[in-house]
Amino acid sequence: MSAIFTDHQAALRDEVRKLLTDGTIKGFIGYARGRDSYHPAPAIVTRPDQVDGLILDQFCIFGLTKYLLDYIFEDGKMGIVAKGCDSLALQRLITDHRVSRDKVHVIGLPCAGVINAEKVAQLGLGNVQKVTDKGASFLVEGDKGSRELAKTEYLWDKCLWCEHHNPAVADSKLGPEVENVAMKPRDYSDIEAMENLPPAEKAAYWTRQFSRCIRCYACRNVCPACNCRECVFDIADPRWVGNTVKLSEQQMFHFTRAWHVAGRCVDCGECERVCPMELPLMKLQHKLQKDIVKLFGNPKPFEPSEVEVLGQFRATEDPEEFM
Amino acid sequence: MSVNEKAAQAAGAATGPSTVAAATPAPEGWEPKIIGFACNWCTYAGADLAGTSRIQYPPNIRVIRVPCSGRINPQFVVRAFQRGADGVLVAGCHPGDCHYSTGNYFARRRYLLATRFIEYLGVEPERLEVRWISGSEGQKFADTVRELTEKIRALGPQRRLRETL
């Protein structure tokens, strides 16, 4: 089972060139070389001669779907490349009626896991020349050395328990589907550990986290579930909500952000990944997720559905604690 | 690794100096301040019945009348705490009795989740109470307010979520 994205780079370029030339799409959202070989950058190409700038490699982690919102009022189709997790994000936008399915051409990318570039960049391998799939590990060859890296250690955490290796939404797929098994079961032991702390320590922990927030809104902007036309925090006078940089309003912001995507989060982990202050935002999302599973018996709340968890009820089956 | 060790690790050395004054004693003459969100059709009528029936309950609750328990956004609860509430009561019609048929069912799902989430952020679970109180349950309203007031008096002032400069 080889699942190296680079193997599909040429096929991706060919397909995008064809789609752009025959006018199926007016632009394509993909990845290009970023500041170094560990950090690809998002790229939007609109002409066939730009297509050779597109890349695919084992560090292409970030979801591109949110860029589709920039094109919803324009005519024509946009193309996009989507891994399994990105396809859930896309499903979220489609289910929320923010992106119309017939205005997006999805090139699906079966994925067996993405390497955590932040961990590998510290190993001093220099510019990465080649990545080879060795089954349980990746062989990463850089110009200053090479290392064999165990997948369980060097993949992103979300890839380890991922059960959506193959894109759920796709017009065409690059390469064969990969075996859809999680490398380890999803576990919420860190959330349980937090729950068991005394209230004072929980409060101290979150105070320490929220006080570092710089209100850059990167978490909101990248989140496929945070897709309101007008965000409550963008209103010039948000009244009692508050949008200045001070601890209480940061508490409010993070409570609201997590709460507004409760039961709608697709568990892509992008909020936490993009945070420049490294706030553990997925600890909020996983707490909500864990409780939704337990309280409402919805085993996979991160899979978008037409009716959201908090947009429905079961009169007699929901737990009753308030009598 | 034990759960507690893991927890300490997860909390990033939570044993360091805490930024939250937890054990500061309540100032003299302190009285619990409780914000009660009451639905117009049941709980507000229940509170009214408690009054007209001359049932005594502590004056620590400030009732805010809302159309339905489904209107009580959990953000209201967080904001109430930040603006100085020591406790919050969220109350509405019993399931099946909602004036708008289903508002309280949505509120029930929402608060099953929100109570746990607010507790996760470090607020003591006793400070947020959710109760179904009908228009005929004046006594239940009075009892609920009395119990909540006593629980919060024992806990002391709420300092976890406070308006900051």
Side-chain angles (χ1 to χ4, degrees), chain A residues 18-50:
Chain A
K18 185 174 143 283
L19 290 168
L20 280 172
T21 311
D22 69 17
T24 311
I25 58 171
K26 59 171 181 162
F28 186 82
I29 308 170
Y31 303 96
R33 166 95 181 189
R35 65 178 191 268
D36 59 31
S37 60
Y38 300 101
H39 297 94
I44 294 160
V45 296
T46 51
R47 296 195 315 267
D49 62 303
Q50 297 170 323

Side-chain angles (χ1 to χ4, degrees), chain A residues 232-233 241 251-261, chain B residues 75:
Chain A
V232 64
F233 292 102
V241 177
Q251 284 170 337
M252 193 63 176
F253 168 66
H254 286 287
F255 172 82
T256 308
R257 194 201 58 79
W259 182 255
H260 279 183
V261 297
Chain B
Q75 281 177 283

Side-chain angles (χ1 to χ4, degrees), chain A residues 165-184:
Chain A
H165 295 297
N166 299 302
V169 184
D171 294 297
S172 64
K173 280 184 183 155
L174 294 168
E177 297 213 332
V178 299
E179 204 186 347
N180 212 3
V181 283
M183 275 183 229
K184 65 172 195 184

Side-chain angles (χ1 to χ4, degrees), chain B residues 33-73:
Chain B
K33 190 179 279 181
I34 298 168
I35 301 298
F37 293 102
C39 101
N40 179 46
W41 304 98
C42 289
T43 309
Y44 197 81
D48 201 25
L49 181 65
T52 50
S53 314
R54 303 285 190 267
I55 303 170
Q56 297 285 318
Y57 63 88
N60 302 62
I61 190 162
R62 280 79 164 160
V63 175
I64 296 176
R65 182 165 63 153
V66 292
C68 175
S69 51
R71 171 67 183 102
I72 309 167
N73 186 337

Side-chain angles (χ1 to χ4, degrees), chain B residues 115-136:
Chain B
T115 47
R116 286 164 172 78
F117 194 47
I118 291 171
E119 181 187 342
Y120 185 71
L121 297 178
V123 177
E124 293 92 343
E126 296 85 358
R127 293 191 189 274
L128 171 57
E129 180 107 4
V130 187
R131 276 284 168 272
W132 308 131
I133 299 169
S134 80
S136 61

